[in-house]
Amino acid sequence: MLGEGMLKGLAETAKNFAGSFVSKERMTTVQYPEERIAPIENTRDFPFLVYDGSDAMAGLRCVACQICEKECPPKCIYIVKSTDKKPDFVGKMQIYPTRFDIDISVCMSCQICVEVCPFEAIKMDTEFELSTTDRFGGLLYDREQLSKSNEHYHKIHPTEAAEVDARLAEEKAKAEAKAKAAAEAAAAKAAAAAAAALPKEAPAKEPGA
Amino acid sequence: MSQQASFWNNLDQVFVLLQHRIAGYFPVWLQPVVETILAVVGIVAAFPGIFALTTVLERKGLGRMQNRLGPNRVGPLGILQPVADGIKSLTKEDIVPLSADAAVHFLAPVVLVIAVFMGFAVLPIGRNMVLANLDAGLLFFFAIGASTELSIFMAGWSSRNKYSLLGAMRAVAQMISYEVPLLLSSVVAVMITGSLSTVKIVEAQSGFTGIFPHWYVFTPWGFAGFVLFVIAALAETNRSPFDLPEGESELVAGYFTEYSGFKFALFFLGEYLGMFSIAGFAITLFLGGWGAPLSVLEFVPSWAWFFLKLLAAIAFFIWLRGTLPRLRQDQLMNFAWKFMLPMTLLNLVVAGAWRFLGDGWPRWVICSVVLLAAYVLLGRVLMRNQNLGARSYRYAD
Amino acid sequence: MSATAFKSYRPPVIEPSEEGDELLEVAMGPHHPSTHGVFRMDVALDGERVVKLKPVFGYLHRNHEKIAETASYLAAMPYTDRLDYFCSLTNNWAYALAVEKLAGLEVPERAQYIRVITAELTRIQNHASAIGFLLQEMGASGTPLMYAFREREKILDLFEELTGSRMMCNYMRFGGCRVELPKGWLEKVKTVVDGLPQFIDETEALLTGNEILMARSQGVGVLKPDLAVNAGITGPMLRAAGVNYDIRKVDHYGIYDRFKFRVPLGDHGDIYDRYMIRVLEARESVEILKQALKDVPAGPIMDPKSKIRGFRPKVGEAYGRIEAPKGELGFYLISDGTGNPYRYRVRPPSLINLTVLEDMCLGQNVADVVLIFGSVDIVLGEVDR
């Protein structure tokens, strides 16, 4: 019958109209910025550099290996290596980046820099309300602006940060075990060398009875 | 008891009493003029106010149908949005094309608004509340309604723009071809009432059997007439699904391309007021005007019933707009001449038969069956002629 | 279709109706009232009928192929997201498939299941949006579009949980997927998939029997099957014209052989058929999803042979194609042994489907040109790359 399809359509729209007053399913508007949806944990927006401890420059995990700079598709990372070395969070001497700039107007949030970093130094932040009125330097983030603490990383990506910490702790434990084993081997070798050297000297030193 | 009754009675006639009270301050020979002026002021205040409310309700209603909120930032629940829109349209630059016919260009929206306001003169808004109680009120209304088409043509012509002219001609063709079903479907009410006066048509529907009213819409021919009148009214006022002349995805951008600022707002106002006046007319002819739907509810003032019915009609128009896609121009015309016209003519015959079959259940059954059969048959013929219809799909094996 | 059929095909020529009647030439776009992107159509009209139509595109050209030839294989992956920006996961899969063919990598089971699940979710949200946009152009004031976007939001939230980004997913890698599924993701997918049949039913109730939709779309923009095959049309347009060609069934890529699903075919090739084919395909995708979600195996998600950095496939060439929601999306790669491809070519389904726009629009009313264009369902990112 002519008009039947239209009446069914009208019924459908009326159902949605009535439903929009009673059910959340039929009224999905979230009035930003007063209301916000809870952010999803895995979301990625722009990169940031992780540092351990409380001093950003001293605890920076980045060792300026420049792998992320090479792999970045739009080439938005610019790194300048240092000429000296400074101790990192665990005390080992590492080179560090004197400049680490990311132009977030070029960055396309692809996360490849995070994937290829061997040192868990660069991770993705979740901040997206970054617009600025300074169109020249406002979106070019330097080393200080990019460094955020490991606590911040735990806050925004708890599962990921926990995994990263576990992995780093494991590596540190392995490194310490290796160092201890090496030290023990060296000490044993030194003791063996000392024991080998000792009997030669003893009879010469011994005074008579 | 009678004090209560007189309170409701006074409420019902409050505007009339106010009008007489104010006119009483003037000398006797001036009183008719003052009364008319007050009525005009009332109409000019009330209906643009409803227009402002409708723009917000339309956007919020469409929004709710689409699972979103409408405008809600300007004022509580967005009620003051028309104020913002009005300020915007007033402060926009008024661009008139250099080659345009300036006088006609200026007059087109003015003619539209004046013609539409004049149409309100014969609408009975409440008991004893009609501005001009003409014996040929219906005729007056349709004559004035036809002159709105003149303003559309003026707009298209004066823009000296090939596309605007084409759009205007198509809009005028649409409106003229839907005038015929519009008039024919209203003639049935006139036939049964026996008068062209809108006041008498409403009074003829103001009786009750038990608690149910004598509205014409509750009879077979009245229901068919009402449906046909509403469809033709949608086409007359360029509302969805007949709004191709002003559709956004339309190549020829419409007759009011060259209008900006306040003149555009006037076109908008004129179109919506036309919608209200035709909806009000449909209410007068078929839905009992200012009459109550149940006899127990007669204490509610008559003007309140009229405005409630008007709001319901507006809500229905908004509902249609949110649901239906729009028809193409030639399909629109096809529909008018090949479906609406035969149905309205048949409706005339059925109304006549109703009158002469006398009281009793046979006339109900015969009229309903004839109308239903004609509708189903005509619908099927129309769809089949253009090879339209539901389809079934096969799957690859 | 035989070669002689191709040679003897000539597009219909429609003469202007009266002598000396000049044609009205209009440029529709690039600022379009309809929502498909920056695209221009130079149309010559005789009264209301279309006599000639020339599509002009290139407004969104971004040098994708050149960038991919200078950047490494891995770096080209995020750029493929931005080809057909509605369906980034299927773009990723097509590219990953081409590279896996080139380098001889094998994808583990779990990654195959994840690929199928994400691809079918992408297909559903793309078809729902395509229908919504088509009706928006018909003037239904955006109601079906809003319903489609409401469901699309749920699917995009799933993608954000899995890949980190709603639209630019960058999720497939050569030899598998980038990251393991988060906890509870499969249950969330199941919840969304359970709600999808009701949504498709509601859309059909609103639209399928609508007489105005039928009047606007049946018999309009007809595409004949032999023209479709000769022009290289693929995807829902081809199946609406009646040709049975679905790459999931023809190439048996991925693990589609394990799932039972049907391929709907149309008979007339008009806009209504394309709309209905998309609805029916969305239903079939829901069937595939239900089957796939039942038994996702545990295991690794990457081929142990694949490398992230320093990926140098051996010298050779490969063409990998999938049934993207818009048609056949193919990647042709020539490797010369270095870290970036020697030649990288995208076969864009939207562009190839647009080549028959003139044939479909000839003789039609100008008000229908926008509808026919909408029923082809293109994305300018893919047309222009």
Side-chain angles (χ1 to χ4, degrees), chain C residues 80-294:
Chain C
T80 57
D81 285 337
R82 286 140 170 99
L83 275 176
D84 172 1
Y85 36 80
F86 258 76
C87 318
S88 63
L89 283 161
T90 45
N91 297 351
N92 286 353
W93 190 359
Y95 179 50
L97 201 67
V99 174
E100 281 152 16
K101 274 196 191 167
L102 191 60
L105 295 168
E106 284 210 4
V107 183
E109 282 282 303
R110 188 171 166 86
Q112 295 276 30
Y113 270 87
I114 299 176
R115 282 182 174 185
V116 167
I117 291 173
T118 48
E120 294 308 314
L121 282 172
T122 309
R123 193 181 312 272
I124 292 172
Q125 58 99 15
N126 177 57
H127 284 331
S129 315
I131 294 171
F133 284 125
L134 178 67
L135 273 137
Q136 161 81 5
E137 277 150 28
M138 263 191 227
S141 76
T143 311
L145 183 63
M146 291 292 129
Y147 297 163
F149 269 52
R150 186 191 69 209
E151 296 302 313
R152 184 167 176 256
E153 284 297 311
K154 299 181 192 154
I155 297 180
L156 291 182
D157 281 341
L158 290 174
F159 288 164
E160 188 172 12
E161 250 197 80
L162 177 66
T163 71
S165 166
R166 283 152 50 96
M167 274 166 72
M168 306 294 131
C169 297
N170 186 17
Y171 182 63
M172 310 293 172
R173 290 284 178 266
F174 315 127
C177 301
R178 176 170 71 82
V179 85
E180 183 53 67
L181 300 180
K183 246 197 220 328
W185 190 76
L186 283 174
E187 281 74 38
K188 289 201 184 119
V189 176
K190 191 152 187 338
T191 317
V192 170
V193 171
D194 286 339
L196 282 173
Q198 192 203 5
F199 159 66
I200 303 181
D201 286 337
E202 282 177 8
T203 309
E204 282 215 82
L206 180 61
L207 296 175
T208 302
N210 194 326
E211 284 84 8
I212 300 181
L213 174 69
M214 287 201 256
R216 283 310 294 270
S217 61
Q218 286 184 353
V220 177
V222 174
L223 180 65
K224 293 260 179 289
D226 35 357
L227 174 61
V229 170
N230 281 338
I233 310 291
T234 49
M237 265 180 81
L238 181 67
R239 291 192 282 280
V243 179
N244 175 16
Y245 192 76
D246 186 330
I247 299 176
R248 295 175 287 181
K249 298 275 193 189
V250 167
D251 269 6
H252 314 283
Y253 67 94
I255 45 167
Y256 277 107
D257 285 342
R258 296 194 203 167
F259 305 118
K260 279 171 32 96
F261 63 100
R262 302 175 293 180
V263 175
L265 295 176
D267 288 314
H268 302 261
D270 51 18
I271 298 180
Y272 189 78
D273 268 355
R274 287 177 216 137
Y275 151 76
M276 273 309 291
I277 292 291
R278 293 199 166 97
V279 169
L280 293 172
E281 273 191 15
R283 285 199 199 271
E284 294 302 319
S285 289
V286 172
E287 289 303 310
I288 298 179
L289 275 170
K290 284 198 201 143
Q291 292 168 47
L293 282 169
K294 272 204 289 242

Side-chain angles (χ1 to χ4, degrees), chain A residues 25-144:
Chain A
E25 164 78 20
R26 303 265 174 210
M27 171 54 71
T28 49
T29 310
V30 172
Q31 299 194 57
Y32 185 86
E34 288 92 11
E35 309 169 358
R36 283 156 203 263
I37 316 182
I40 294 184
E41 191 194 318
N42 281 339
T43 187
R44 56 179 146 99
D45 284 292
F46 292 110
F48 73 98
L49 293 170
V50 190
Y51 66 82
D52 296 308
S54 51
D55 185 352
M57 294 303 115
L60 211 53
R61 286 187 197 165
C62 175
V63 297
C65 63
Q66 292 180 309
I67 292 180
C68 59
E69 192 181 18
K70 286 199 205 81
E71 297 289 331
C72 173
K75 301 280 184 287
C76 65
I77 303 183
Y78 178 68
I79 299 178
V80 172
K81 285 164 117 110
S82 67
T83 41
D84 62 327
K85 291 195 181 192
K86 73 159 172 58
D88 70 354
F89 190 57
V90 291
K92 190 155 158 225
M93 298 299 274
Q94 303 266 25
I95 54 174
Y96 59 92
T98 47
R99 265 185 93 115
F100 194 112
D101 291 342
I102 295 186
D103 187 351
I104 64 167
S105 64
V106 176
C107 171
M108 58 174 176
S109 310
C110 65
Q111 205 183 20
I112 286 185
C113 54
V114 173
E115 251 179 275
V116 298
C117 175
F119 297 95
E120 320 280 358
I122 185 169
K123 298 289 173 194
M124 293 307 273
D125 207 349
T126 54
E127 181 79 34
F128 54 87
E129 293 159 332
L130 296 169
S131 44
T132 166
T133 49
D134 170 17
R135 50 190 254 248
F136 296 109
L139 290 177
L140 181 67
Y141 283 8
D142 61 5
R143 196 180 53 162
E144 279 73 20

Side-chain angles (χ1 to χ4, degrees), chain B residues 15-320:
Chain B
F15 294 109
V16 184
L17 293 172
L18 198 62
Q19 182 186 36
H20 286 323
R21 170 80 67 89
I22 295 181
Y25 293 126
F26 290 83
V28 177
W29 57 273
L30 207 52
Q31 276 182 358
V33 180
V34 171
E35 285 183 359
T36 318
I37 292 179
L38 285 171
V40 167
V41 165
I43 290 182
V44 170
F47 283 97
I50 301 185
F51 159 71
L53 193 66
T54 305
T55 48
V56 182
L57 284 182
E58 175 160 34
R59 288 169 68 174
K60 288 189 83 67
L62 280 177
R64 290 262 169 192
M65 278 193 257
Q66 296 169 0
N67 300 152
R68 58 182 175 91
L69 298 166
N72 66 347
R73 295 270 162 177
V74 190
L77 291 180
I79 290 281
L80 296 179
Q81 181 73 31
V83 176
D85 286 339
I87 295 177
K88 172 201 79 171
S89 71
L90 280 172
T91 54
K92 273 204 174 158
E93 180 186 352
D94 188 20
I95 304 173
V96 177
L98 207 57
S99 59
D101 195 339
V104 181
H105 189 87
F106 175 77
L107 280 177
V110 172
V111 166
L112 178 68
V113 171
I114 291 178
V116 163
F117 268 121
M118 280 172 74
F120 284 111
V122 289
L123 277 185
I125 299 175
R127 205 170 274 126
N128 307 328
M129 281 167 72
V130 62
L131 177 62
N133 190 353
L134 299 174
D135 279 336
L138 204 123
L139 199 59
F140 176 78
F141 182 83
F142 284 121
I144 293 295
S147 57
T148 57
E149 297 162 21
L150 173 70
S151 87
I152 290 181
F153 198 70
M154 282 167 73
W157 175 261
S158 67
S159 304
R160 293 282 165 87
N161 181 351
K162 197 165 29 169
Y163 307 149
S164 294
L165 186 61
L166 273 175
M169 292 212 284
R170 290 196 338 198
V172 169
Q174 172 186 330
M175 290 168 92
I176 289 181
S177 31
Y178 274 93
E179 284 280 345
V180 181
L182 188 75
L183 270 122
L184 283 179
S185 54
S186 63
V187 166
V188 285
V190 172
M191 271 170 67
I192 300 292
T193 316
S195 159
L196 279 173
S197 159
T198 47
V199 173
K200 292 219 178 59
I201 293 179
V202 170
E203 279 170 6
Q205 297 178 65
S206 57
F208 291 92
T209 32
I211 53 167
F212 294 110
H214 280 172
W215 293 355
Y216 290 153
V217 75
F218 292 131
T219 58
W221 52 268
F223 184 72
F226 178 62
V227 169
L228 293 165
F229 190 89
V230 164
I231 298 177
L234 283 171
E236 280 291 307
T237 51
N238 287 340
R239 287 286 295 184
S240 212
F242 300 107
D243 60 350
L244 200 64
E246 52 187 59
E248 298 112 18
S249 50
E250 179 50 24
L251 163 67
V252 178
Y255 46 90
F256 41 53
T257 330
E258 304 287 348
Y259 284 91
S260 52
F262 192 56
K263 293 195 195 137
F264 183 76
L266 276 182
F267 265 113
F268 207 52
L269 173 75
E271 187 183 298
Y272 272 68
L273 284 179
M275 186 171 87
F276 299 157
S277 81
I278 270 199
F281 211 68
I283 293 171
T284 311
L285 286 176
F286 296 102
L287 285 177
W290 41 255
L294 297 170
S295 64
V296 293
L297 294 172
E298 270 205 302
F299 61 90
V300 180
S302 52
W303 43 268
W305 280 122
F306 182 82
F307 282 113
L308 277 172
K309 290 178 200 174
L310 190 63
L311 268 168
I314 294 170
F316 182 66
F317 288 168
I318 295 174
W319 190 13
L320 281 180

